Amino acid sequence: MLTRLSEFLWWDRLWLPSGLGWSDLEDHDGRVYAKPSHLYAALPCAFALLLVRYLFERDRVRLSPESSPLLDGYFCTVSRFPSQTSWSERKVEIWFRRRRNHCRAGLRKRFCEASLTFDVKRKDFKEQVIHHIATLTLLAFSWASNYIRIGTLVMVTHDSADILLERSANGMFVVFTSLFALTRLVILPFWLIHCTWVYPLELYPPFFGYYFLNAMLVVLQILHFYWAVLISKMLYKCLFSKVTQCGTALEGDDRSDEEEEDSDSPKEEHRRVNNTNICRARARVNGH
C-alpha cells in the first residue's frame, strides 16, 4: 500500500508537463539538477539552528516595580500607561515601564513560541499557519520539480523588504512599507504570478502541478493584501500621531516584545517607540 501511495505521489503526470518525466531531471551531459532528496539536508540544519539559539539566548534580569496596589489596579483595569498620581512623574514612568516589562515574554519564552504550535494565539494566528504551510510547500515543490528560477524570484521579493526592519527608525518603517507594497502587491502578482499563470500554457497543456503552484502563490498574495492593510493602519497611526502618543495609539496590538529601559529621556523614549513600531511590523510579515 505504501508503495502504491509513493508511486501516486511521484506520478510524472501529476507534477510535470505532458511528455516529461522524473527521468528527464536526472543529471546528464554535465548538467546537475535539483533532487527531492536534497531537502532532507534542511532538517538537521534547522535543528542545529534551534539548538544554537537555545544555548546562546539568555533572558535579561528585570527589575520588579515597587509594591503599589493603586498603580497595579490602574495598570490592570484602565491603561498600561501612567496618569497623574501623588508620585513624581519620573517615578510613575519607571514603575509602569517595569510593570510592562514583567508582562512581556522573556527570550526563552519567545524562543519557544518560534515553534508555531506553541505560539500565543494572536488575532492573525490562522493566517500565519496558512502562510507557513503555503511557503514551505512552495519551497519544497519548486525545488523538487526544478522550478528553481521562479522559486528564487519569489523568495527575493519576500526578503528584500524585511532587511529594512532591522533599522530602528520611523523613516525606515516608511521605506519598508513602500518596498513591501512594491514587491508583494505589484511585482509578485503582475510579474511573477503572471509568468507562472500565462507563459507555461504556451508550451504545455495545463496539468496538476501548474494549478497547484499557482494556487499556492495566490494564497500568499491574498495574505499579503491582508497584512498590507494592517501595516498601512500602523503607518497611518504613527505618521499622524505625536511621537509620545505613537506607542499608545498602537498599544492595542500586543505583538511587540521590545523591552523598555528605566530611562525617560526624550531620546530613549523616541528610540523605544521606533523599535516598537518596527517589532510589530516584523511580526506581521515574519517567515515567508
Side-chain angles (χ1 to χ4, degrees):
M1 181 176 179
L2 292 179
T3 303
R4 290 185 178 180
L5 179 61
S6 177
E7 292 176 352
F8 174 77
L9 291 178
W10 294 102
W11 185 26
D12 295 351
R13 289 289 291 115
L14 196 63
W15 305 110
L16 301 176
S18 178
L20 294 179
W22 294 111
S23 58
D24 296 308
L25 298 180
E26 295 292 334
D27 300 343
H28 63 275
D29 298 333
R31 294 185 177 182
V32 179
Y33 292 90
K35 299 177 178 59
S37 59
H38 294 165
L39 297 175
Y40 293 127
L43 296 178
C45 292
F47 283 114
L49 290 176
L50 290 176
L51 179 61
V52 169
R53 288 191 60 183
Y54 181 80
L55 293 177
F56 287 94
E57 285 193 345
R58 295 292 185 270
D59 288 335
R60 295 180 55 183
V61 177
R62 295 176 175 177
L63 299 176
S64 301
E66 299 180 30
S67 176
S68 175
L70 176 63
L71 293 181
D72 195 67
Y74 183 92
F75 181 91
C76 295
T77 59
V78 180
S79 173
R80 292 192 172 193
F81 290 84
S83 181
Q84 294 182 352
T85 66
S86 59
W87 285 10
S88 66
E89 182 179 353
R90 174 179 172 78
K91 190 174 181 181
V92 173
E93 286 284 348
I94 292 176
W95 189 96
F96 271 83
R97 288 174 187 173
R98 292 179 178 177
R99 185 66 173 80
R100 288 195 295 269
N101 285 337
H102 270 266
C103 291
R104 291 187 171 93
L107 285 175
R108 288 189 180 274
K109 179 175 175 56
R110 281 148 49 188
F111 163 76
C112 293
E113 290 182 359
S115 302
L116 187 60
T117 54
F118 301 102
D119 194 5
V120 177
K121 301 301 185 294
R122 316 285 186 180
K123 59 184 178 182
D124 63 344
F125 176 78
K126 294 181 180 179
E127 289 80 4
Q128 286 206 27
V129 172
I130 296 174
H131 184 274
H132 282 35
I133 294 175
T135 300
L136 293 176
T137 302
L138 278 172
L139 288 175
F141 175 71
S142 62
W143 182 267
S145 300
N146 201 41
Y147 298 158
I148 306 298
R149 291 183 178 180
I150 188 63
T152 302
L153 290 174
V154 171
M155 291 183 66
V156 170
T157 58
H158 282 70
D159 291 338
S160 57
D162 294 349
I163 301 174
L164 300 176
L165 291 179
E166 302 301 327
R167 301 300 182 100
S168 301
N170 281 344
M172 282 296 177
F173 182 61
V174 175
V175 176
F176 158 77
T177 304
S178 303
L179 189 57
F180 179 93
L182 175 64
T183 55
R184 305 197 190 191
L185 304 183
V186 178
I187 295 179
L188 181 62
F190 295 106
W191 269 270
L192 301 185
I193 296 182
H194 175 78
C195 291
T196 62
W197 198 285
V198 176
Y199 294 156
L201 298 181
E202 297 177 359
L203 301 175
Y204 304 102
F207 57 102
F208 177 80
Y210 164 82
Y211 294 115
F212 181 80
L213 174 67
N214 285 287
M216 292 293 101
L217 290 174
V218 170
V219 168
L220 288 184
Q221 189 57 57
I222 294 174
L223 293 174
H224 293 161
F225 282 120
Y226 170 74
W227 279 313
V229 172
L230 299 182
I231 294 174
S232 299
K233 291 180 179 179
M234 293 166 55
L235 181 64
Y236 177 83
K237 291 180 180 179
C238 193
L239 290 179
F240 296 96
S241 300
K242 296 181 180 179
V243 174
T244 55
Q245 295 176 343
C246 188
T248 306
L250 299 178
E251 182 64 16
D253 187 342
D254 57 355
R255 283 191 167 276
S256 175
D257 289 321
E258 188 70 17
E259 191 162 333
E260 303 173 67
E261 302 291 341
D262 284 346
S263 172
D264 59 351
S265 65
K267 183 178 180 180
E268 288 294 326
E269 178 66 14
H270 184 69
R271 182 187 65 80
R272 181 187 66 80
V273 170
N274 289 342
N275 287 342
T276 300
N277 297 337
I278 298 301
C279 189
R280 289 188 175 115
R282 184 184 294 113
R284 293 296 183 194
V285 297
N286 179 25
H288 44 264

